[in-house]
Amino acid sequence: MDAEPIVLGLETSCDETSAAVLRGERELLGHIILSQDEHELYGGVVPEIAARAHLRVVGDVVDGALRQAGLGLEDVDLFGVTAGPGLIGALLVGVSWAKAAAYALDRPLIGVHHMEAHLFSVSLEDAEAQPPFVALLVSGGHTLLLWVPEWGRYRLLGATRDDAAGEAFDKVAKILGLGYPGGPEIQRVAGDGDPAAHAFPRPMLASTQRPGDDDYYAFSFSGLKTAVLTRVRELERAGTLARETANLAASFQAAAVDVLVAKTMRAVEQTGCRRVLIGGGVAASRALRSALGDAIGGHGSLYHPRLRLATDNGAMIARAALFRHRRGERAPLDLTARADLPFPGLESP
Ligand code: KG4
Ligand code: ZN
Protein backbone atom coordinates (compact mmCIF):
# COMPACT_ATOMS: atom_id res chain seq x y z
CA MET A 1 0.00 0.00 0.00
CA ASP A 2 1.18 3.52 -0.73
CA ALA A 3 2.24 5.71 2.18
CA GLU A 4 -0.36 8.26 3.27
CA PRO A 5 -0.24 11.26 0.92
CA ILE A 6 1.09 14.63 2.06
CA VAL A 7 -1.53 17.31 1.30
CA LEU A 8 -0.90 21.02 1.36
CA GLY A 9 -4.10 22.99 2.01
CA LEU A 10 -4.26 26.72 1.33
CA GLU A 11 -7.02 29.08 2.45
CA THR A 12 -7.32 32.75 1.41
CA SER A 13 -11.06 33.27 0.89
CA CYS A 14 -11.61 36.00 3.46
CA ASP A 15 -9.37 37.51 6.15
CA GLU A 16 -7.27 34.52 7.23
CA THR A 17 -4.21 33.39 5.33
CA SER A 18 -3.71 29.77 6.29
CA ALA A 19 -1.67 26.82 5.13
CA ALA A 20 -1.67 23.28 6.49
CA VAL A 21 0.40 20.18 5.85
CA LEU A 22 -1.75 17.12 6.42
CA ARG A 23 -0.59 13.49 6.18
CA GLY A 24 -3.53 11.24 5.40
CA GLU A 25 -6.84 12.09 7.03
CA ARG A 26 -5.81 13.34 10.44
CA GLU A 27 -2.09 13.82 10.93
CA LEU A 28 -1.64 17.58 10.97
CA LEU A 29 2.11 18.08 10.58
CA GLY A 30 2.10 21.85 10.15
CA HIS A 31 -0.53 24.55 10.38
CA ILE A 32 -0.27 28.34 10.24
CA ILE A 33 -3.29 30.64 10.51
CA LEU A 34 -2.58 34.33 10.13
CA SER A 35 -5.55 36.62 10.84
CA GLN A 36 -5.58 40.06 9.28
CA ASP A 37 -6.38 42.47 12.07
CA GLU A 38 -6.27 45.68 10.02
CA HIS A 39 -9.96 45.18 9.16
CA GLU A 40 -10.84 46.02 12.77
CA LEU A 41 -10.17 49.66 11.90
CA TYR A 42 -13.08 49.60 9.45
CA GLY A 43 -15.54 47.40 11.38
CA GLY A 44 -15.56 44.72 8.68
CA VAL A 45 -13.46 43.05 6.02
CA VAL A 46 -12.26 45.43 3.27
CA PRO A 47 -11.82 43.20 0.18
CA GLU A 48 -8.97 45.19 -1.38
CA ILE A 49 -6.98 45.21 1.85
CA ALA A 50 -7.62 41.47 2.32
CA ALA A 51 -6.27 40.61 -1.15
CA ARG A 52 -3.13 42.70 -0.68
CA ALA A 53 -2.46 41.23 2.75
CA HIS A 54 -2.79 37.65 1.42
CA LEU A 55 -0.37 38.48 -1.38
CA ARG A 56 2.17 39.84 1.07
CA VAL A 57 2.23 36.78 3.36
CA VAL A 58 1.08 33.75 1.36
CA GLY A 59 4.62 32.52 0.59
CA ASP A 60 5.75 32.90 4.21
CA VAL A 61 2.64 31.16 5.55
CA VAL A 62 3.24 28.13 3.31
CA ASP A 63 6.94 28.10 4.24
CA GLY A 64 6.00 28.25 7.92
CA ALA A 65 3.65 25.26 7.69
CA LEU A 66 6.23 23.23 5.76
CA ARG A 67 8.92 24.14 8.29
CA GLN A 68 6.73 22.94 11.18
CA ALA A 69 6.22 19.70 9.26
CA GLY A 70 9.96 19.36 8.59
CA LEU A 71 9.21 18.98 4.89
CA GLY A 72 9.96 20.81 1.67
CA LEU A 73 7.57 21.82 -1.10
CA GLU A 74 8.81 18.87 -3.19
CA ASP A 75 7.46 16.47 -0.52
CA VAL A 76 3.88 17.58 -1.18
CA ASP A 77 1.84 14.96 -3.08
CA LEU A 78 -1.36 16.96 -3.51
CA PHE A 79 -2.32 20.64 -3.42
CA GLY A 80 -5.75 21.82 -2.25
CA VAL A 81 -6.86 25.42 -2.39
CA THR A 82 -10.10 27.25 -1.63
CA ALA A 83 -11.57 28.11 -5.03
CA GLY A 84 -14.74 29.72 -3.59
CA PRO A 85 -17.04 31.03 -2.33
CA GLY A 86 -15.40 34.14 -0.91
CA LEU A 87 -13.90 37.48 -1.87
CA ILE A 88 -12.72 37.18 -5.44
CA GLY A 89 -9.47 39.14 -5.07
CA ALA A 90 -8.58 37.22 -1.92
CA LEU A 91 -9.41 33.83 -3.48
CA LEU A 92 -7.30 34.59 -6.54
CA VAL A 93 -4.16 34.94 -4.43
CA GLY A 94 -4.45 31.38 -3.09
CA VAL A 95 -5.61 29.87 -6.38
CA SER A 96 -2.77 31.50 -8.37
CA TRP A 97 -0.20 30.39 -5.81
CA ALA A 98 -1.45 26.79 -5.69
CA LYS A 99 -1.75 26.50 -9.46
CA ALA A 100 1.81 27.71 -9.95
CA ALA A 101 3.14 25.28 -7.31
CA ALA A 102 1.15 22.31 -8.66
CA TYR A 103 2.27 23.05 -12.20
CA ALA A 104 5.92 23.57 -11.30
CA LEU A 105 6.07 20.31 -9.29
CA ASP A 106 3.71 18.38 -11.56
CA ARG A 107 1.37 17.44 -8.68
CA PRO A 108 -2.44 17.20 -8.74
CA LEU A 109 -4.47 20.18 -7.61
CA ILE A 110 -7.97 20.30 -6.13
CA GLY A 111 -10.13 23.45 -6.06
CA VAL A 112 -11.97 23.14 -2.73
CA HIS A 113 -15.40 24.52 -1.84
CA HIS A 114 -14.92 26.50 1.38
CA MET A 115 -18.21 25.43 2.99
CA GLU A 116 -17.75 21.74 2.18
CA ALA A 117 -14.36 22.06 3.88
CA HIS A 118 -15.98 23.41 7.06
CA LEU A 119 -17.88 20.08 7.24
CA PHE A 120 -14.57 18.22 7.49
CA SER A 121 -13.10 20.32 10.33
CA VAL A 122 -14.37 18.18 13.20
CA SER A 123 -13.27 14.92 11.55
CA LEU A 124 -9.65 16.14 11.67
CA GLU A 125 -9.69 15.56 15.42
CA ASP A 126 -12.60 13.22 16.00
CA ALA A 127 -12.79 10.05 13.91
CA GLU A 128 -16.48 9.68 14.89
CA ALA A 129 -17.49 12.91 13.12
CA GLN A 130 -18.65 11.09 10.00
CA PRO A 131 -22.01 11.09 8.19
CA PRO A 132 -24.85 10.52 8.54
CA PHE A 133 -25.49 13.81 10.34
CA VAL A 134 -27.48 17.01 10.23
CA ALA A 135 -25.05 19.88 9.62
CA LEU A 136 -25.43 23.49 10.62
CA LEU A 137 -22.83 25.65 8.87
CA VAL A 138 -22.79 29.14 10.30
CA SER A 139 -20.13 31.63 9.27
CA GLY A 140 -19.68 35.27 8.39
CA GLY A 141 -20.99 34.71 4.87
CA HIS A 142 -23.24 31.63 5.09
CA THR A 143 -26.00 29.97 7.08
CA LEU A 144 -26.74 26.49 5.77
CA LEU A 145 -28.74 23.64 7.25
CA LEU A 146 -27.86 20.38 5.49
CA TRP A 147 -28.72 16.72 5.66
CA VAL A 148 -25.53 14.74 5.00
CA PRO A 149 -26.24 11.01 4.46
CA GLU A 150 -22.65 10.44 3.25
CA TRP A 151 -19.62 12.56 2.30
CA GLY A 152 -20.23 14.22 -1.06
CA ARG A 153 -24.03 14.08 -0.84
CA TYR A 154 -25.62 17.15 0.66
CA ARG A 155 -29.33 17.92 0.81
CA LEU A 156 -30.00 21.60 1.36
CA LEU A 157 -32.75 21.98 3.97
CA GLY A 158 -32.52 25.70 4.63
CA ALA A 159 -30.42 28.81 4.19
CA THR A 160 -30.61 32.44 5.18
CA ARG A 161 -32.78 34.77 3.16
CA ASP A 162 -30.72 37.84 4.06
CA ASP A 163 -27.81 38.22 6.51
CA ALA A 164 -25.69 35.24 7.53
CA ALA A 165 -25.63 34.30 11.23
CA GLY A 166 -22.05 35.53 11.74
CA GLU A 167 -22.83 38.71 9.82
CA ALA A 168 -25.66 39.38 12.29
CA PHE A 169 -23.23 39.01 15.22
CA ASP A 170 -20.78 41.34 13.45
CA LYS A 171 -23.41 43.99 12.64
CA VAL A 172 -24.99 43.93 16.10
CA ALA A 173 -21.54 44.23 17.68
CA LYS A 174 -20.96 47.31 15.57
CA ILE A 175 -24.34 48.77 16.64
CA LEU A 176 -23.35 48.16 20.28
CA GLY A 177 -19.97 49.83 19.75
CA LEU A 178 -18.04 46.56 20.17
CA GLY A 179 -15.07 45.39 18.09
CA TYR A 180 -14.72 43.16 15.04
CA PRO A 181 -15.22 40.21 14.63
CA GLY A 182 -18.43 40.64 16.54
CA GLY A 183 -19.19 37.08 17.67
CA PRO A 184 -16.48 36.76 20.32
CA GLU A 185 -17.17 40.33 21.49
CA ILE A 186 -20.90 39.70 21.90
CA GLN A 187 -20.13 36.47 23.75
CA ARG A 188 -17.75 38.25 26.13
CA VAL A 189 -20.13 41.12 26.91
CA ALA A 190 -23.21 38.85 27.07
CA GLY A 191 -21.62 36.97 29.97
CA ASP A 192 -22.65 39.83 32.28
CA GLY A 193 -26.12 40.27 30.78
CA ASP A 194 -29.60 38.84 31.15
CA PRO A 195 -30.75 37.00 27.99
CA ALA A 196 -34.39 37.71 28.91
CA ALA A 197 -33.91 41.46 29.45
CA HIS A 198 -35.04 42.43 25.96
CA ALA A 199 -37.71 40.47 24.08
CA PHE A 200 -36.21 40.34 20.59
CA PRO A 201 -38.02 38.52 17.76
CA ARG A 202 -37.14 34.94 16.70
CA PRO A 203 -37.29 35.58 12.92
CA MET A 204 -38.80 32.87 10.66
CA LEU A 205 -39.70 30.78 13.69
CA ALA A 206 -43.38 30.11 14.37
CA SER A 207 -45.15 27.15 15.93
CA THR A 208 -47.62 27.21 13.02
CA GLN A 209 -44.90 26.22 10.52
CA ARG A 210 -45.18 22.68 9.17
CA PRO A 211 -42.67 20.46 7.30
CA GLY A 212 -42.93 21.34 3.62
CA ASP A 213 -43.61 25.04 4.28
CA ASP A 214 -40.98 27.04 2.43
CA ASP A 215 -39.97 28.88 5.61
CA TYR A 216 -39.83 25.74 7.80
CA TYR A 217 -36.04 25.61 7.62
CA ALA A 218 -35.31 29.14 6.35
CA PHE A 219 -33.37 31.69 8.38
CA SER A 220 -33.49 35.49 8.44
CA PHE A 221 -31.34 37.70 10.64
CA SER A 222 -31.71 41.20 9.25
CA GLY A 223 -35.00 41.89 11.11
CA LEU A 224 -33.36 40.84 14.39
CA LYS A 225 -30.49 43.24 13.75
CA THR A 226 -33.01 46.05 13.04
CA ALA A 227 -34.87 45.22 16.27
CA VAL A 228 -31.61 45.66 18.21
CA LEU A 229 -30.93 48.95 16.42
CA THR A 230 -34.42 50.25 17.21
CA ARG A 231 -34.02 49.33 20.90
CA VAL A 232 -30.57 50.98 20.99
CA ARG A 233 -32.06 54.23 19.65
CA GLU A 234 -34.82 54.16 22.28
CA LEU A 235 -32.31 53.59 25.07
CA GLU A 236 -30.09 56.32 23.67
CA ARG A 237 -32.95 58.81 23.83
CA ALA A 238 -33.70 57.70 27.38
CA GLY A 239 -30.01 58.06 28.28
CA THR A 240 -29.75 54.47 29.59
CA LEU A 241 -27.89 52.77 26.73
CA ALA A 242 -24.50 52.44 28.45
CA ARG A 243 -25.80 50.27 31.30
CA GLU A 244 -27.86 48.08 28.92
CA THR A 245 -25.05 46.88 26.61
CA ALA A 246 -24.59 43.52 28.35
CA ASN A 247 -28.35 42.87 28.42
CA LEU A 248 -28.68 43.80 24.74
CA ALA A 249 -25.80 41.49 23.77
CA ALA A 250 -27.18 38.61 25.85
CA SER A 251 -30.73 39.06 24.54
CA PHE A 252 -29.59 39.24 20.91
CA GLN A 253 -27.36 36.18 21.33
CA ALA A 254 -30.24 34.24 22.90
CA ALA A 255 -32.59 35.13 20.03
CA ALA A 256 -30.09 34.11 17.34
CA VAL A 257 -29.20 30.86 19.15
CA ASP A 258 -32.89 29.99 19.73
CA VAL A 259 -33.61 30.13 16.00
CA LEU A 260 -30.49 28.16 15.03
CA VAL A 261 -31.23 25.45 17.60
CA ALA A 262 -34.97 25.22 16.80
CA LYS A 263 -34.42 24.81 13.06
CA THR A 264 -31.61 22.29 13.59
CA MET A 265 -33.85 20.25 15.90
CA ARG A 266 -36.60 20.26 13.26
CA ALA A 267 -34.08 18.58 10.93
CA VAL A 268 -33.20 16.09 13.68
CA GLU A 269 -36.86 15.20 14.15
CA GLN A 270 -37.56 14.92 10.42
CA THR A 271 -34.50 12.82 9.55
CA GLY A 272 -34.67 10.77 12.74
CA CYS A 273 -30.91 11.25 13.07
CA ARG A 274 -29.73 12.60 16.44
CA ARG A 275 -26.23 13.29 15.16
CA VAL A 276 -25.52 16.98 14.57
CA LEU A 277 -22.36 18.62 13.32
CA ILE A 278 -21.75 22.36 13.50
CA GLY A 279 -19.12 24.26 11.59
CA GLY A 280 -18.07 27.77 10.59
CA GLY A 281 -17.02 30.64 12.86
CA VAL A 282 -20.32 30.83 14.78
CA ALA A 283 -19.79 27.19 15.82
CA ALA A 284 -17.29 28.72 18.26
CA SER A 285 -20.22 30.20 20.21
CA ARG A 286 -20.47 28.71 23.70
CA ALA A 287 -24.16 29.66 23.87
CA LEU A 288 -24.89 27.79 20.63
CA ARG A 289 -22.92 24.70 21.65
CA SER A 290 -24.51 24.42 25.03
CA ALA A 291 -28.10 25.04 23.85
CA LEU A 292 -27.71 22.58 20.99
CA GLY A 293 -26.07 20.01 23.24
CA ASP A 294 -29.00 20.27 25.68
CA ALA A 295 -31.57 20.00 22.87
CA ILE A 296 -29.96 16.89 21.37
CA GLY A 297 -29.65 15.27 24.78
CA GLY A 298 -27.72 12.26 26.00
CA HIS A 299 -28.99 9.88 23.31
CA GLY A 300 -27.54 11.95 20.50
CA SER A 301 -24.18 13.44 19.53
CA LEU A 302 -23.06 16.98 18.88
CA TYR A 303 -19.85 17.31 16.89
CA HIS A 304 -18.19 20.69 17.02
CA PRO A 305 -14.71 21.81 16.08
CA ARG A 306 -12.46 23.31 18.71
CA LEU A 307 -11.93 27.04 18.32
CA ARG A 308 -8.89 26.96 16.05
CA LEU A 309 -10.63 24.70 13.55
CA ALA A 310 -14.06 26.41 13.76
CA THR A 311 -12.92 29.57 12.02
CA ASP A 312 -11.17 29.56 8.65
CA ASN A 313 -8.13 27.32 8.40
CA GLY A 314 -5.98 25.47 5.88
CA ALA A 315 -6.34 22.08 7.59
CA MET A 316 -9.99 21.68 6.60
CA ILE A 317 -9.07 22.65 3.02
CA ALA A 318 -6.39 19.95 2.91
CA ARG A 319 -8.84 17.36 4.30
CA ALA A 320 -11.57 18.26 1.78
CA ALA A 321 -8.99 18.16 -1.03
CA LEU A 322 -7.96 14.64 0.00
CA PHE A 323 -11.60 13.52 -0.10
CA ARG A 324 -12.13 14.94 -3.60
CA HIS A 325 -8.78 13.55 -4.81
CA ARG A 326 -9.71 10.05 -3.65
CA ARG A 327 -12.87 10.34 -5.71
CA GLY A 328 -10.68 10.79 -8.78
CA GLU A 329 -11.16 14.52 -9.15
CA ARG A 330 -8.46 16.89 -10.32
CA ALA A 331 -8.66 20.58 -11.12
CA PRO A 332 -7.72 21.66 -14.64
CA LEU A 333 -4.81 24.07 -14.92
CA ASP A 334 -7.23 26.78 -15.97
CA LEU A 335 -8.92 26.46 -12.56
CA THR A 336 -10.18 29.84 -11.50
CA ALA A 337 -11.63 31.32 -8.32
CA ARG A 338 -15.36 31.92 -8.13
CA ALA A 339 -16.94 34.21 -5.56
CA ASP A 340 -20.20 32.24 -5.88
CA LEU A 341 -18.84 28.71 -6.39
CA PRO A 342 -21.79 26.28 -6.15
CA PHE A 343 -21.72 23.70 -3.33
CA PRO A 344 -20.60 20.37 -4.89
CA GLY A 345 -23.11 17.55 -4.68
CA LEU A 346 -25.87 19.76 -3.32
CA GLU A 347 -29.40 18.44 -3.84
CA SER A 348 -32.21 20.91 -3.28
CA PRO A 349 -35.37 19.57 -1.66
O1 KG4 B 1 -15.97 30.71 9.27
P1 KG4 B 1 -15.44 32.06 9.58
O2 KG4 B 1 -14.12 32.17 10.28
O3 KG4 B 1 -15.31 32.93 8.30
C1 KG4 B 1 -16.21 32.90 7.26
O4 KG4 B 1 -16.11 31.96 6.42
O5 KG4 B 1 -17.07 33.80 7.25
O6 KG4 B 1 -16.58 32.79 10.46
C2 KG4 B 1 -16.41 34.10 10.95
C3 KG4 B 1 -17.66 34.51 11.70
C4 KG4 B 1 -17.69 35.98 12.09
O7 KG4 B 1 -18.91 36.54 11.65
C5 KG4 B 1 -17.62 35.95 13.61
O8 KG4 B 1 -18.30 37.03 14.24
C6 KG4 B 1 -18.28 34.63 13.92
O9 KG4 B 1 -17.81 33.76 12.92
N1 KG4 B 1 -17.93 34.14 15.26
C7 KG4 B 1 -18.82 33.99 16.28
C8 KG4 B 1 -18.09 33.58 17.40
N2 KG4 B 1 -16.78 33.47 17.04
C9 KG4 B 1 -16.70 33.81 15.73
N3 KG4 B 1 -20.15 34.21 16.30
C10 KG4 B 1 -20.78 34.00 17.49
N4 KG4 B 1 -20.15 33.63 18.62
C11 KG4 B 1 -18.81 33.40 18.63
N5 KG4 B 1 -18.20 33.04 19.77
ZN1 ZN C 1 -15.40 30.00 6.73
Side-chain angles (χ1 to χ4, degrees):
M1 204 180 87
D2 285 350
E4 295 277 27
I6 301 286
V7 191
L8 189 124
L10 186 58
E11 157 64 34
T12 67
S13 70
C14 191
D15 57 347
E16 267 92 28
T17 317
S18 179
V21 180
L22 183 69
R23 177 157 53 203
E25 294 184 0
R26 258 185 296 281
E27 215 183 324
L28 197 51
L29 304 177
H31 198 194
I32 303 278
I33 305 173
L34 212 63
S35 290
Q36 305 171 357
D37 49 13
E38 48 268 60
H39 303 291
E40 202 176 329
L41 291 172
Y42 310 98
V45 177
V46 183
E48 175 71 7
I49 293 176
R52 284 171 189 269
H54 287 306
L55 201 53
R56 206 169 53 236
V57 300
V58 64
D60 292 342
V61 168
V62 172
D63 287 349
L66 286 166
R67 202 175 322 116
Q68 281 180 352
L71 296 173
L73 200 56
E74 66 287 352
D75 298 313
V76 173
D77 299 309
L78 170 69
F79 288 89
V81 63
T82 308
L87 303 170
I88 190 66
L91 288 165
L92 278 168
V93 174
V95 168
S96 309
W97 195 97
K99 269 165 65 168
Y103 182 67
L105 292 159
D106 194 22
R107 301 288 197 277
L109 170 68
I110 298 282
V112 171
H113 189 281
H114 181 87
M115 299 310 291
E116 183 183 40
H118 271 300
L119 288 174
F120 281 99
S121 279
V122 194
S123 74
L124 285 163
E125 295 186 318
D126 181 352
E128 300 282 301
Q130 305 290 334
F133 51 65
V134 169
L136 177 69
L137 292 180
V138 270
S139 70
H142 298 268
T143 308
L144 296 170
L145 186 60
L146 302 167
W147 164 238
V148 183
E150 59 186 77
W151 290 121
R153 276 186 61 207
Y154 310 111
R155 177 171 289 270
L156 178 64
L157 300 174
T160 182
R161 295 200 176 161
D162 41 57
D163 293 348
E167 193 179 354
F169 276 86
D170 294 335
K171 287 180 174 172
V172 167
K174 203 170 178 179
I175 291 169
L176 297 179
L178 305 171
Y180 177 86
E185 289 287 295
I186 299 248
Q187 173 166 286
R188 178 177 61 79
V189 173
D192 300 320
D194 172 8
H198 298 276
F200 290 134
R202 271 54 177 164
M204 294 265 155
L205 188 62
S207 54
T208 49
Q209 291 166 330
R210 292 287 165 263
D213 291 355
D214 63 359
D215 57 359
Y216 190 66
Y217 288 121
F219 299 94
S220 163
F221 292 102
S222 96
L224 175 56
K225 167 198 67 194
T226 308
V228 176
L229 182 61
T230 307
R231 186 61 54 89
V232 162
R233 293 207 171 121
E234 286 166 10
L235 293 166
E236 225 162 21
R237 278 195 296 275
T240 53
L241 179 59
R243 64 165 191 258
E244 278 303 304
T245 307
N247 283 339
L248 288 164
S251 301
F252 158 75
Q253 181 175 261
V257 165
D258 263 5
V259 178
L260 292 170
V261 171
K263 301 258 168 172
T264 305
M265 292 313 293
R266 284 178 175 181
V268 166
E269 300 309 330
Q270 206 177 14
T271 59
C273 178
R274 295 196 83 79
R275 297 161 52 80
V276 175
L277 177 137
I278 53 175
V282 185
S285 164
R286 283 195 300 269
L288 176 63
R289 288 179 184 189
S290 102
L292 206 47
D294 289 348
I296 295 163
H299 297 300
S301 305
L302 174 63
Y303 299 102
H304 60 78
R306 82 186 151 94
L307 194 59
R308 187 168 157 86
L309 295 179
T311 51
D312 292 348
N313 66 83
M316 68 181 191
I317 304 302
R319 179 65 189 85
L322 179 62
F323 164 69
R324 292 276 155 199
H325 176 68
R326 284 178 173 165
R327 300 209 344 165
E329 296 177 22
R330 189 175 177 145
L333 271 177
D334 64 355
L335 170 74
T336 189
R338 273 187 65 180
D340 61 347
L341 189 70
F343 208 117
L346 195 68
E347 309 160 8
S348 290

